[in-house]
Amino acid sequence: MIMPKNQRQTGKKAASAAAKVLANPKSTKAEKSAAASALSQTPSSKSEKK
């Protein structure tokens, strides 16, 4: 079975906020997990544009 590609992507502002959470040593484990999840859905600069 072929799975469709995930079309949901994190916006630039949300990705920036997530990066700040990951860089903050005082962020909790839950905050870092949520931030990492958001960044994993961010389109890479190398991805093809349609």
Side-chain angles (χ1 to χ4, degrees):
M1 177 178 211
I2 298 174
M3 297 297 291
K5 200 171 192 179
N6 184 2
Q7 298 300 319
R8 297 181 186 184
Q9 295 180 341
T10 303
K12 288 182 181 182
K13 286 184 180 181
S16 177
K20 287 179 183 179
V21 169
L22 290 175
N24 183 353
K26 293 184 179 182
S27 295
T28 66
K29 198 171 193 178
E31 289 171 330
K32 288 184 179 185
S33 177
S37 178
L39 287 178
S40 71
Q41 295 179 23
T42 304
S44 67
S45 60
K46 295 179 184 178
S47 66
E48 293 181 29
K49 293 183 179 180
K50 291 184 179 181

